[in-house]
Amino acid sequence: MTNSTTDNTQAVVDACLLAGQIMIQSGAETYRAEDTMLRMASAAGRPDCQSYVTPTGIIFSAEGSKQTHFTRIFDRGTDLEKIALVNAMSRKMAAGELTVQEALEELRNLEKADLSFPVWLQIVAAALVSGSFLVMFKGDWQDFLPAVAAGTAGFSSLLLIHHFTRVKFFAEFFASLMIGLVAFFFVSAGIGKDLDLIIIASVMPLVPGVLITNAVRDLMAGHLVAGLSKGVEAFLTAFAIGTGVAVVFSLWV
């Protein structure tokens, strides 16, 4: 009986930790990850669990257990589909439609799954977003194609450099640098008209909108450490984008 209880407790801990890890790595808010973990534990018959989540790590413990468990978070991105799937699993557990062992197995499969869109589609989307923002900012249609080209070059550089360096700041810096260079080339060649609007529209796919939103929501929910750390990360991203563009302006404009 003791071994059965221990195995069940370990399964609850493993499932909750993995659920929180997937959510944080996919760009979920800190309070959402904590709430989902505690709901899953409660649905599995352990309402006495405690969780503490930060953008870089998760601490989880169950009452009566001699161990406190910790999971390190290294990579963070945005994958709203994975967040929705984990939330759906927690709801199924609360409704009694999913056991903790079944949930753990599904979470392990979800962790390995790559649900992101193909790279070419991401680049095409970034290009269209850049052009659309130019129109939204009331730019001249003459600058539409330069904005699309700059957005394509910038987002492609972001993916390529981040793949090899794994340093987000450098990837964002060189991506904005590439955007500035391409925009300056089109304007100098007479193809583009308004350099400022082309650059502003092209850097929009790089702007950390989800990160800023999550930082504010975490602060409002009382998660000060997570909110401040996400705010600093968003500031560094904005600084990298601004620095890359500033280098181009300082050298050639």
Side-chain angles (χ1 to χ4, degrees):
M1 183 69 178
T2 303
N3 290 335
S4 177
T5 303
T6 302
D7 292 342
N8 181 69
T9 299
Q10 188 59 47
V12 172
V13 171
D14 291 343
C16 292
L17 277 174
L18 187 54
Q21 177 184 336
I22 293 173
M23 294 187 75
I24 294 299
Q25 288 177 337
S26 301
E29 308 95 315
T30 299
Y31 74 87
R32 184 187 298 274
E34 288 187 353
D35 182 66
T36 299
M37 292 169 66
L38 294 179
R39 287 178 182 272
M40 290 177 64
S42 180
R46 296 307 303 265
D48 50 1
C49 294
Q50 298 290 332
S51 66
Y52 179 72
V53 178
T54 71
T56 55
I58 300 174
I59 301 173
F60 189 84
S61 66
E63 188 71 26
S65 176
K66 297 181 180 179
Q67 294 179 329
T68 295
H69 301 266
F70 175 77
T71 295
R72 186 78 163 85
I73 306 296
F74 292 99
D75 297 319
R76 295 180 300 278
T78 302
D79 193 333
L80 301 183
E81 185 175 0
K82 282 193 174 184
I83 297 174
L85 289 173
V86 174
N87 281 333
M89 288 183 200
S90 70
R91 295 189 187 99
K92 287 182 179 180
M93 288 185 65
E97 301 173 3
L98 202 65
T99 66
V100 64
Q101 293 291 350
E102 292 171 342
L104 180 58
E105 186 62 29
E106 289 191 20
L107 286 167
R108 286 171 176 166
N109 293 332
L110 181 60
E111 181 189 21
K112 299 175 184 177
D114 184 8
L115 304 180
S116 59
F117 291 105
V119 172
W120 67 268
L121 186 56
Q122 296 181 41
I123 295 174
V124 170
L128 294 177
V129 166
S130 300
S132 300
F133 269 109
L134 179 91
V135 176
M136 190 181 74
F137 294 148
K138 298 182 179 181
D140 196 296
W141 279 99
Q142 180 183 345
D143 295 331
F144 182 83
L145 289 180
V148 168
T152 301
F155 197 78
S156 300
S157 301
L158 176 72
L159 296 178
L160 182 65
I161 297 173
H162 188 265
H163 175 74
F164 288 106
T165 65
R166 312 305 298 180
V167 180
K168 187 179 178 183
F169 180 86
F170 290 147
E172 291 160 345
F173 169 77
F174 284 108
S176 61
L177 180 68
M178 182 61 66
I179 288 173
L181 291 174
V182 173
F184 180 75
F185 167 78
F186 275 103
V187 172
S188 299
I191 302 175
K193 181 179 178 182
D194 195 325
L195 179 64
D196 294 346
L197 280 182
I198 294 174
I199 292 178
I200 292 172
S202 301
V203 300
M204 291 306 292
L206 309 181
V207 174
V210 174
L211 194 60
I212 295 172
T213 302
N214 287 351
V216 174
R217 294 186 68 176
D218 280 334
L219 286 172
M220 294 177 65
H223 293 270
L224 303 182
V225 174
L228 290 175
S229 61
K230 289 180 180 179
V232 170
E233 186 177 354
F235 170 78
L236 288 175
T237 296
F239 179 76
I241 295 172
T243 304
V245 174
V247 169
V248 176
F249 272 81
S250 62
L251 292 177
W252 287 288
V253 178

